[in-house]
């Protein structure tokens, strides 16, 4: 009989995107032992770095990594670490590339990046090559997908996973295999329209208004075209029908309804939402108007996805299988 002796932390996992960086210290069964959420995303990390100097960029990323996880690296030397997101882009610490779909989200082909405390393993993204139509890419969300599939108990058959965000992803999965996906820049468009241009000048500081959001959903669903319906927010305010502070929620409804109307398929009978709770609530409302009841999962599922990918890649074998004979 042998006993597992390694009962402490087993993995450092990071979701390192464009604007933020989340880090988790995970235990030997994937449980979250500690979590940190910082603003050290790609933009902040490389703010003062010459984009043509890869050494300077690598040094900046290593510094940001140590700022967040340095004490974990010191306290638990040799602990494996893994990261996904824009840290693995061409503007990141190193380019981890893309895998072409169809593909499983839990890749075992990671890109190692050496640093003074060890090695950080970067997760590759997913891609659809361009042909007659433009292709598409996913970077970072593949870890959410891996966590979603595990949380749902490895579901068989077709599944649609919607990942709302700055660039929302609609992913089709068949028996654990990503077969297709599409990206909508809904969140980015919302940010641009509410901070620049005529709608930004028409709006006031936002106040939550579910009625305005629902009205926007209706307008977006019956859309005369996104550009036309978006502008409709201005005359509604000028005519006193919509409060200036409610314009952002109305516009949110228009944009989300437009996205859902274009990307929801008749075959999408099993839909899972995974992301920030408020965004998922809005998307769930838009889907409900189309007769689809979605399952909602927390965005913390990303940590579980990183654990699953690290396990598939063999990063945890030494720590999970280390035994002693009595």
């Amino acid at each position: 009989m042998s006993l597992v002796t390694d009962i402490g932390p087993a993995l450092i996992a990071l979701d390192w995107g464009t604007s933020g960086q989340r880090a988790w210290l995970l235990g030997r069964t994937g449980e979250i032992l500690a979590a940190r959420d910082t603003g050290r995303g790609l933009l902040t990390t490389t703010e003062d770095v010459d984009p043509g100097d890869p050494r300077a960029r690598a040094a900046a990323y290593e510094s940001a990594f140590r700022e967040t996880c340095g004490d974990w690296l010191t306290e638990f030397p040799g602990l494996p670490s893994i990261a996904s997101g824009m840290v693995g882009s061409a503007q990141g610490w190193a380019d981890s590339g893309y895998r072409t779909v169809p593909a499983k989200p839990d890749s075992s082909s990671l890109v190692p990046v050496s640093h003074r405390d060890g090695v950080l393993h970067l997760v590759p993204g997913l891609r659809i090559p361009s042909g007659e139509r433009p292709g598409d890419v996913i970077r970072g969300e593949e870890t959410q997908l891996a966590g979603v599939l595990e949380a749902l108990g490895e579901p068989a058959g077709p599944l649609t996973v919607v990942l709302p965000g700055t660039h929302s992803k609609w992913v089709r999965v068949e028996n654990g295999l990503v077969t297709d996906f599409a990206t909508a820049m809904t969140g980015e468009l919302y940010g641009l329209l509410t901070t620049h241009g005529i709608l930004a000048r028409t709006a006031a500081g936002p106040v939550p208004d579910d009625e305005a959001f629902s009205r926007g959903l209706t307008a977006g669903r019956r859309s005369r075209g996104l550009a036309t319906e978006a502008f409709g927010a201005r005359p509604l305010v000028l005519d006193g029908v919509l409060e200036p502070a409610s314009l952002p929620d109305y516009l949110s409804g228009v944009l989300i309804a437009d996205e859902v109307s274009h990307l929801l398929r008749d075959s999408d009978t099993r839909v899972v939402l995974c992301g920030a709770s408020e965004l998922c609530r809005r998307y769930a409302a838009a889907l409900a108007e189309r007769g689809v009841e979605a399952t909602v999962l927390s965005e913390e599922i990303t940590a579980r996805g990183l654990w699953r990918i690290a396990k598939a890649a063999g990063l945890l074998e030494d720590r999970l299988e280390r035994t002693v004979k009595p």
Side-chain angles (χ1 to χ4, degrees), residues 158-160 172 263-271 292:
L159 177 70
T160 299
R172 270 76 192 192
L263 295 182
L264 181 67
R265 299 175 182 173
D266 291 339
S267 58
D268 291 333
T269 55
R270 299 175 66 195
V271 178
V292 176

Side-chain angles (χ1 to χ4, degrees), residues 14-209:
L14 295 97
D15 174 23
W16 201 338
T18 300
S19 58
Q21 178 206 68
R22 293 184 297 162
W24 297 275
L25 186 65
L26 303 180
R28 57 181 299 272
T29 60
E31 71 275 19
I32 297 175
L33 304 178
R36 292 167 181 172
D37 193 341
T38 80
R40 300 188 188 97
L42 179 150
L43 296 178
T44 301
T45 300
T46 60
E47 186 175 15
D48 299 316
V49 175
D50 179 357
D53 187 344
R55 285 191 175 184
R57 188 172 68 245
Y61 271 97
E62 180 169 351
S63 177
F65 179 46
R66 285 194 58 80
E67 282 185 49
T68 302
C69 304
D71 57 335
W72 294 343
L73 295 168
T74 300
E75 186 175 357
F76 309 107
L79 198 64
S81 56
I82 186 172
S84 65
M86 291 301 287
V87 66
S89 71
Q91 296 79 40
W93 196 337
D95 191 345
S96 60
Y98 294 95
R99 293 181 300 130
T100 302
V101 300
K104 289 187 175 182
D106 51 345
S107 169
S108 60
S109 301
L110 306 181
V111 173
V113 177
S114 298
H115 56 87
R116 55 180 163 170
D117 294 301
V119 178
L120 177 65
H121 296 83
L122 304 182
V123 181
L126 299 175
R127 69 186 285 266
I128 297 174
S130 295
E132 292 183 4
R133 293 184 177 183
D136 210 333
V137 291
I138 277 179
R139 186 175 291 288
E141 293 89 353
E142 70 285 335
T143 57
Q144 285 180 284
L145 292 171
V148 165
L149 294 181
E150 182 170 287
L152 296 177
E154 313 299 333
L159 177 70
T160 299
V161 182
V162 183
L163 307 169
T166 303
H167 298 155
S168 298
K169 307 289 182 179
W170 289 64
V171 186
R172 270 76 192 192
V173 182
E174 183 84 29
N175 297 323
L177 201 67
V178 176
T179 59
D180 191 23
F181 60 87
T183 302
M185 297 176 67
T186 304
E188 184 168 349
L189 287 174
Y190 174 82
L192 291 171
L193 290 171
T194 54
T195 55
H196 302 283
I198 194 64
L199 294 184
R201 296 192 177 194
T202 307
V207 172
D209 189 335

Side-chain angles (χ1 to χ4, degrees), residues 290-321:
R290 298 290 298 270
V292 176
E293 184 176 350
T295 300
V296 179
L297 298 176
S298 165
E299 63 181 337
E300 291 302 312
I301 208 78
T302 303
R304 191 67 201 182
L306 285 164
W307 168 266
R308 174 173 167 152
I309 292 170
K311 189 174 182 180
L315 297 185
L316 306 174
E317 290 178 358
D318 288 344
R319 305 192 74 81
L320 298 185
E321 297 179 3

